[in-house]
Amino acid sequence: MKKLTLLIAAAAGYVLGARAGRERYEQIKRTATRVKEDPRVQEKAHQAADLAKEKAPVVKDKVASAASTAADKVTPSGSGNHRSDLEANLNPDNVALQDNPYPQGDLP
């Protein structure tokens, strides 16, 4: 997979940076189109998409678990409802907790 990414990046860099003219550009474009339309490439692309769809729920669960663990580490212990405390502190509409929600004068 790393080789394919490198090859695509090299081809894109060459196309974008080449001064070989329109003829060379058209040749590269035809070759890329042939590769893209190759049944073997299409099959591998479908396999990759299917694998991504298959693994998506597992990844979602892992990310949710990691986010929950991270949230537990940053919330203060001993507080009752962590989520509502955080939301109250982070809500920009909640100006009741601020001494002066609309300061006057020059800003630093």
Side-chain angles (χ1 to χ4, degrees), residues 60-73:
K60 182 187 110 190
D61 292 341
K62 287 184 179 183
V63 169
S65 174
S68 176
T69 301
D72 289 344
K73 288 182 180 181

Side-chain angles (χ1 to χ4, degrees), residues 12-35:
Y14 179 78
V15 169
L16 294 174
R19 300 201 179 253
R22 186 73 178 176
E23 184 178 322
R24 180 70 178 144
Y25 169 77
E26 292 297 332
Q27 181 186 8
I28 293 169
K29 187 174 158 185
R30 281 192 306 271
T31 302
T33 302
R34 266 189 267 138
V35 168

